[in-house]
């Protein structure tokens, strides 16, 4: 599933590496605390043996971080096994530098088994629930195996058993617990069962977190799919809302229409694949321009598109962004045409109309299917301005209302220097004339 879903693969990789880093950090500092604790518990020179082993455990933890990866990893499993085996030997084999000597079974009297839980807890931060299960089961198996080996082959001191037996004569149950040559197999089995149960509980927690991660990755994939159809600002707005985009409202926005001039003639005699390929290039180029100028791509309309600037949220630069996008579209198409002509293809001629004014915004549809609609005279005027580019022999027509709405005087003067004012422009379907600027 991770290979088919790049968002899930990325999420799993990030989570794995972050968990491994946290586990390594937590493990290192925990072992440092254990090192200080051992000095307190055993303030003898022989404790340096265990301090050296702690350093080795830290090195193994760092090695686990270096080889960490998503999915099964033999090197990781080998290092985990080395961890548990080294810990088992540390707890069951007497310190070779100790001045005193005692039965091998006496090692179990120091309650060292609790240190297994440090490694199990650190593992739950970095590994999958299956691996956490395996850590608990492997630790239990190694611990019981070590107890049996000590019971069968460990060094014993029979005279100690006799002396303790004499001192505790008549207290058989107490003697069974305090016999220095006994591994207390019942206690060892109890410890093994407890770590398996704890591993099971931690594995359930890890499994729950894995499912949550997969759900979050799925949501990221859904948002990415939305961004293929909606502008990033619209996607973010939809993601933040618990309800649809809201009730009907009036709002001033910039509206842009762009269209391929002569598309019908271009499509005649060409294969569907060639026409669709051209439209995909065209749409991709203009979509990038709309989004980079803070616009919302409202819809593709065959060989054209409609974009708005100021939805879902308005800003003082909406009009300037709409006009800047119109010029940027022409520049982007010029670049695209260079590529097309190098391939022996016919260039694309683009016409753009821009208007700024009040529109009606709101959700339309029903509970099963809703669409965020933008209606009103401003939309109609923008569409008519795009159509007027043919009669005016211009590639960009911007209404005077849009030009006047540009708040920065420097930007407004720059656009005016690049364009020519046409007063009293009569648009199809409108009785009132409109002043407009043409590039």
């Amino acid at each position: 599933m991770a290979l088919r879903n790049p968002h899930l693969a990325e999420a799993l990789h990030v989570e794995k590496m972050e968990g491994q880093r946290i586990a390594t950090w937590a493990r290192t500092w925990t072992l440092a605390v254990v090192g200080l604790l051992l000095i307190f518990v055993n303030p003898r020179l022989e404790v340096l043996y265990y301090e050296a082993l702690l350093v080795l455990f830290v090195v193994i933890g760092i090695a686990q971080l270096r080889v960490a990866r998503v999915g099964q990893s033999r090197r990781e499993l080998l290092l985990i096994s080395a961890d548990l085996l080294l810990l088992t030997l540390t707890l069951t084999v007497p310190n070779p530098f100790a001045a005193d000597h005692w039965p091998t079974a006496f090692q179990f009297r120091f309650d060292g088994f609790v240190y297994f839980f440090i490694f199990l807890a650190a593992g739950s931060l970095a590994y999958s629930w299956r691996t956490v299960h395996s850590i608990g089961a492997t630790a239990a198996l190694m611990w019981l195996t070590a107890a049996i080996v000590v019971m069968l082959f460990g060094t014993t001191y029979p005279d100690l058993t006799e002396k303790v037996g004499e001192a505790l004569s008549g207290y058989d149950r107490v003697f069974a617990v305090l016999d220095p040559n006994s591994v207390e197999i019942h206690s060892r089995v109890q410890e093994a069962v407890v770590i398996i149960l704890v591993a099971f509980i931690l594995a359930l927690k890890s499994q729950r977190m894995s499912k949550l991660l997969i759900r979050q990755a799925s949501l990221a994939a859904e948002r990415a799919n939305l961004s293929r159809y909606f502008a990033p600002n619209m996607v973010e707005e939809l993601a933040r809302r618990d309800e649809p985009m809201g009730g009907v409202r009036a709002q001033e926005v910039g509206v842009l229409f762009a269209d391929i001039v002569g598309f019908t003639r271009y499509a005649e005699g060409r294969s569907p694949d060639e026409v669709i390929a051209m439209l995909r290039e065209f749409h991709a180029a203009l979509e990038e321009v709309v989004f980079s100028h803070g616009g919302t791509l409202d819809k593709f309309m065959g060989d054209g598109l409609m974009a708005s600037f100021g939805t879902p949220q308005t800003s003082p630069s909406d009009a300037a962004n709409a006009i800047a996008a119109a010029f940027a579209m022409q520049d982007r198409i010029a670049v695209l045409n260079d590529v097309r002509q190098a391939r022996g293809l016919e260039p694309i001629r683009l016409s753009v109309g821009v208007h700024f004014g009040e529109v009606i915004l709101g959700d339309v549809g029903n509970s099963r299917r809703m669409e965020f609609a933008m209606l009103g005279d401003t939309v109609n005027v923008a569409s008519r301005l795009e159509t007027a580019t043919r009669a005016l022999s211009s590639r960009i027509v911007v209404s005077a209302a849009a030009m006047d709405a540009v708040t920065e005087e420097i930007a407004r003067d720059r656009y005016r220097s690049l364009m020519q004012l046409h007063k009293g422009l009569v648009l199809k379907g409108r009785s009132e004339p409109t002043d407009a600027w043409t590039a």
Side-chain angles (χ1 to χ4, degrees):
M1 178 167 51
L3 293 177
R4 292 195 301 267
N5 187 337
H7 298 281
L8 178 56
E10 178 65 19
L12 289 174
H13 175 74
V14 171
E15 178 63 21
K16 168 69 177 181
M17 298 310 301
E18 181 66 17
Q20 193 72 60
R21 281 190 290 269
I22 294 174
T24 303
W25 177 88
R27 169 191 173 118
T28 301
W29 281 102
T30 301
L31 292 175
V33 173
V34 170
L36 296 176
L37 178 62
L38 291 178
I39 296 174
F40 171 77
V41 173
N42 185 16
R44 300 178 181 85
L45 193 60
E46 65 191 49
V47 79
L48 294 178
Y49 168 74
Y50 294 107
E51 298 292 338
L53 289 174
L54 289 177
V55 173
L56 183 55
F57 281 119
V58 171
V59 172
I60 293 176
I62 295 174
Q64 290 174 351
L65 176 61
R66 295 292 297 273
V67 303
R69 60 181 292 270
V70 178
Q72 293 183 348
S73 172
R74 292 183 178 179
R75 290 188 295 177
E76 280 188 282
L77 294 177
L78 182 63
L79 289 171
I80 293 172
S81 299
D83 248 348
L84 299 176
L85 180 60
L86 180 60
L87 181 57
T88 301
L89 294 175
T90 301
L91 299 177
T92 57
V93 176
N95 185 342
F97 302 103
D100 300 322
H101 299 282
W102 48 71
T104 310
F106 198 70
Q107 287 289 118
F108 293 104
R109 307 292 174 177
F110 300 124
D111 297 325
F113 183 79
V114 295
Y115 291 109
F116 274 105
F117 292 103
I118 293 177
F119 293 86
L120 180 61
S124 68
L125 292 172
Y127 300 115
S128 69
W129 62 273
R130 294 183 180 87
T131 305
V132 174
H133 266 309
S134 299
I135 292 174
T138 303
L141 179 61
M142 288 184 176
W143 189 243
L144 289 177
T145 301
I148 294 173
V149 171
V150 170
M151 185 170 57
L152 296 177
F153 305 105
T155 302
T156 60
Y157 291 82
D159 56 322
L160 283 178
T161 297
E162 292 177 5
K163 292 177 181 179
V164 173
E166 292 174 0
L168 297 174
S169 178
Y171 298 93
D172 295 341
R173 295 187 66 181
V174 176
F175 169 71
V177 173
L178 298 180
D179 181 2
N181 287 297
S182 173
V183 299
E184 290 189 278
I185 193 64
H186 295 89
S187 296
R188 307 291 79 81
V189 171
Q190 177 178 263
E191 290 164 345
V193 172
V194 168
I195 196 169
I196 289 176
L197 293 176
V198 173
F200 173 74
I201 295 172
L202 290 176
L204 287 178
K205 177 67 173 177
S206 297
Q207 187 178 30
R208 181 170 175 268
M209 294 303 296
S210 296
K211 291 180 178 179
L212 179 61
L213 176 64
I214 291 173
R215 286 198 297 268
Q216 291 298 324
S218 298
L219 290 175
E222 291 174 4
R223 181 175 294 190
N225 287 333
L226 279 175
S227 66
R228 298 171 61 187
Y229 300 95
F230 300 98
N233 56 351
M234 182 68 78
V235 173
E236 293 300 321
E237 184 72 14
L238 288 170
R240 284 196 300 266
R241 289 178 178 267
D242 296 327
E243 299 177 352
M245 292 297 289
V248 177
R249 63 188 184 276
Q251 188 169 304
E252 287 198 336
V253 301
V255 181
L256 179 151
F257 277 83
D259 190 68
I260 297 176
V261 178
F263 176 76
T264 302
R265 179 188 57 79
Y266 174 87
E268 290 177 354
R270 285 181 169 82
S271 68
D273 290 341
E274 186 178 352
V275 173
I276 293 299
M278 186 274 280
L279 286 177
R280 285 176 176 169
E281 284 186 327
F282 168 75
H283 288 156
L286 267 58
E287 173 191 87
E288 179 184 347
V289 172
V290 171
F291 291 168
S292 64
H293 286 78
T296 295
L297 183 56
D298 287 87
K299 63 186 70 175
F300 287 122
M301 299 176 296
D303 60 329
L305 63 81
M306 170 184 171
S308 60
F309 298 79
T311 58
Q313 302 295 334
T314 62
S315 75
S317 58
D318 291 334
N321 287 340
I323 299 174
F327 280 93
M329 284 180 178
Q330 295 292 353
D331 293 339
R332 186 70 181 84
I333 292 297
V335 173
L336 179 60
N337 282 336
D338 290 340
V339 176
R340 289 180 58 81
Q341 288 179 321
R343 301 202 308 250
L345 301 175
E346 184 177 340
I348 298 171
R349 186 169 183 268
L350 178 70
S351 60
V352 184
V354 179
H355 187 42
F356 186 87
E358 188 174 83
V359 299
I360 306 297
L361 297 175
D363 298 315
V364 296
N366 52 46
S367 58
R368 291 179 300 174
R369 166 70 177 172
M370 301 199 75
E371 180 178 342
F372 187 66
M374 181 171 61
L375 309 169
D377 186 59
T378 299
V379 177
N380 297 330
V381 170
S383 177
R384 298 292 186 269
L385 290 172
E386 184 278 320
T387 303
T389 57
R390 281 74 163 173
L392 296 172
S393 298
S394 174
R395 299 199 178 191
I396 300 176
V397 178
V398 177
S399 69
M403 187 68 72
D404 294 341
V406 177
T407 55
E408 294 185 8
E409 185 176 351
I410 296 177
R412 186 169 60 248
D413 292 343
R414 179 167 60 86
Y415 290 135
R416 285 175 174 173
S417 67
L418 299 174
M419 306 181 79
Q420 181 179 356
L421 178 62
H422 292 261
K423 290 182 174 291
L425 181 64
V426 178
L427 300 177
K428 182 180 178 180
R430 287 181 58 84
S431 58
E432 297 182 2
T434 302
D435 294 343
W437 293 82
T438 60

